[in-house]
Amino acid sequence: DKDKDKEGEEDKETREGSRSSSASASKTLKTYLAECKAAGVKPIPEGHHIRKDMADAGICDEMAQIAWLRFRQEHTTGSRKDKRYKDWPAVFANSVNDRWYKLWFVNADGPAQWTSEGLQAKRVADAAAAAREGA
């Protein structure tokens, strides 16, 4: 049923990404990121609801960072690199809310905890950061 889950995930991604209050055209994440950099703005704006949603769910900043790194990789060099959307922050919010990458789990109380997938993604990110610092 993983294929079925993935189909549902992509259907939701498509629905959310295609709905936008913006009049701008659909674009790849790579193009969106370049536009954000040129404009000097964050790809996920400070006031975007997903930032509060993550804090409310007990998802720490480090988990949010790993989720963003995984999302960015998947949509710039990974299997979804050719996807085009008008509202990339909404697509990222869907990836967090629907736990596309299964990086954390949440209990009835306390903060979110890393899953095995999350710990693996964190180790890869930590190794990449260490390599950049060493270069």
Side-chain angles (χ1 to χ4, degrees):
D1 279 328
K2 264 192 167 181
D3 290 336
K4 199 175 208 179
D5 289 344
K6 187 137 181 121
E7 287 173 16
E9 165 186 305
E10 288 179 358
D11 288 346
K12 184 169 184 178
E13 178 184 358
T14 301
R15 285 193 309 274
E16 289 297 318
S18 63
R19 274 189 275 170
S20 176
S21 57
S22 170
S24 64
S26 294
K27 59 192 85 171
T28 64
L29 181 60
K30 199 174 254 190
T31 298
Y32 174 71
L33 293 174
E35 290 174 358
C36 289
K37 186 174 184 175
V41 298
K42 292 184 176 184
I44 309 300
E46 287 295 333
H48 196 277
H49 71 85
I50 195 56
R51 291 181 181 272
K52 182 178 182 320
D53 292 352
M54 286 189 287
D56 290 348
I59 298 167
C60 69
D61 290 344
E62 186 176 37
M63 288 177 176
Q65 171 96 23
I66 298 299
W68 173 252
L69 291 174
R70 182 73 191 273
F71 178 85
R72 187 181 70 197
Q73 182 275 327
E74 187 76 16
H75 286 89
T76 57
T77 60
S79 63
R80 296 179 178 173
K81 69 181 179 191
D82 295 325
K83 298 267 187 180
R84 301 172 71 85
Y85 299 103
K86 291 180 182 181
D87 190 349
W88 279 103
V91 178
F92 176 69
N94 287 340
S95 77
V96 170
N97 289 329
D98 294 342
R99 296 185 338 97
W100 288 359
Y101 308 115
K102 315 264 185 279
L103 302 174
W104 55 76
F105 66 93
V106 179
N107 290 319
D109 52 292
Q113 300 293 312
W114 290 108
T115 61
S116 295
E117 292 89 343
L119 287 173
Q120 180 177 332
K122 181 183 176 320
R123 285 183 182 174
V124 169
D126 289 348
R132 281 191 305 273
E133 286 177 15

